[in-house]
Amino acid sequence: MTVATRKRKPADEGEAVFDRELDDLPQELRWREWMGRIEAVLFASASPVDRHDLARVVGQGASVEMLIDDIQSELTDRPYELAQVAHGWMFRTRIQFAEAIKAAADLGDQSLGFTDIEMGVLCAIAYHQPIDRAGLKDIFGKDVSRDLLARLRFKDLIASGPRSPRPGAPHTFVTTETFLATFDLQTLRDLPELELAVGKAGEETQTVQV
């Protein structure tokens, strides 16, 4: 069996050259190598990777979307999938295996884990962003603690938005790319209908303290 080898292109002084094009490989092997590169990048990333970044590891004539399609086809019978979320792609386990994962090990340290009030505040920010603490108080009828907001920041679910027009120009809060990825959304337009979501959040927050 003949194994195809790639020739190294000469590098500039002190700089290694990354061969994106792989012109020395047959077309089929070149395509497989590009698929492997995309898979490697996605496996190494804990957050979605956008098209621009994926295009850096394949040839200029290669279609990232077609490579993604081929990878997805090969994962049909696997317990994980390649999903498009938050303006990019990432690997994730399939929903039907969630209970098996919970039964096998305690992944609590790796889980985002939300209390009811955290979920309620996160929902309010998602639908009313940019919103400041005074705006959140209007929604919940009481102050939302800075510690709670700090926890959501620590989980990279919210970030600072533009200054509010209120006196003192306080910071506002907005959701992040991590928020989109966590809730399997490509954009904020994919959020559920507002009345339904707010109603659920309201039911949850009636029995908890901020």
Side-chain angles (χ1 to χ4, degrees):
M1 175 177 173
T2 302
V3 178
T5 58
R6 297 197 299 276
K7 301 176 182 177
R8 282 188 171 273
K9 294 184 177 180
D12 295 334
E13 294 184 13
E15 181 181 353
V17 174
F18 178 71
D19 185 4
R20 292 174 53 191
E21 302 300 331
L22 305 176
D23 290 332
D24 54 309
L25 288 180
Q27 181 176 356
E28 183 176 351
L29 291 181
R30 182 164 63 242
W31 191 261
R32 298 297 306 182
E33 175 71 12
W34 285 336
M35 287 173 62
R37 289 180 177 185
I38 286 181
E39 285 192 68
V41 170
L42 292 171
F43 266 118
S45 177
S47 58
V49 183
D50 64 25
R51 186 191 184 286
H52 175 74
D53 288 334
L54 292 177
R56 293 177 179 178
V57 299
V58 301
Q60 291 186 350
S63 166
V64 170
E65 288 77 9
M66 290 180 66
L67 287 163
I68 291 288
D69 286 344
D70 283 354
I71 295 171
Q72 288 174 326
S73 295
E74 293 192 348
L75 297 178
T76 301
D77 298 323
R78 305 302 299 166
Y80 55 89
E81 62 185 350
L82 179 52
Q84 186 173 10
V85 291
H87 311 292
W89 288 272
M90 69 183 300
F91 283 109
R92 65 183 181 188
T93 53
R94 297 186 187 275
I95 295 175
Q96 62 263 40
F97 295 101
E99 292 303 318
I101 293 171
K102 291 179 182 178
D106 180 8
L107 301 180
D109 291 339
Q110 302 177 30
S111 174
L112 285 172
F114 299 105
T115 64
D116 289 342
I117 187 57
E118 284 176 336
M119 182 61 75
V121 171
L122 190 56
C123 179
I125 293 173
Y127 282 98
H128 299 282
Q129 61 185 300
I131 186 171
D132 59 13
R133 286 188 71 216
L136 291 172
K137 181 177 180 180
D138 291 340
I139 293 174
F140 292 96
K142 60 181 75 176
D143 285 325
V144 173
S145 74
R146 296 182 187 278
D147 287 343
L148 187 154
L149 293 168
R151 290 197 299 272
L152 295 178
R153 277 182 181 275
F154 179 76
K155 295 176 180 179
D156 194 29
L157 295 167
I158 64 171
S160 293
R163 293 280 188 171
S164 169
R166 297 178 190 266
H171 281 292
T172 61
F173 303 100
V174 296
T175 54
T176 63
E177 293 286 302
T178 299
F179 167 82
L180 294 176
T182 300
F183 293 98
D184 195 17
L185 304 171
Q186 291 189 37
T187 72
L188 291 174
R189 290 190 295 272
D190 296 327
L191 284 167
E193 290 296 327
L194 180 60
E195 292 182 359
L196 176 60
V198 171
K200 290 182 178 179
E203 291 173 3
E204 292 173 342
T205 56
Q206 286 175 1
T207 59
V208 295
Q209 297 296 320
V210 180

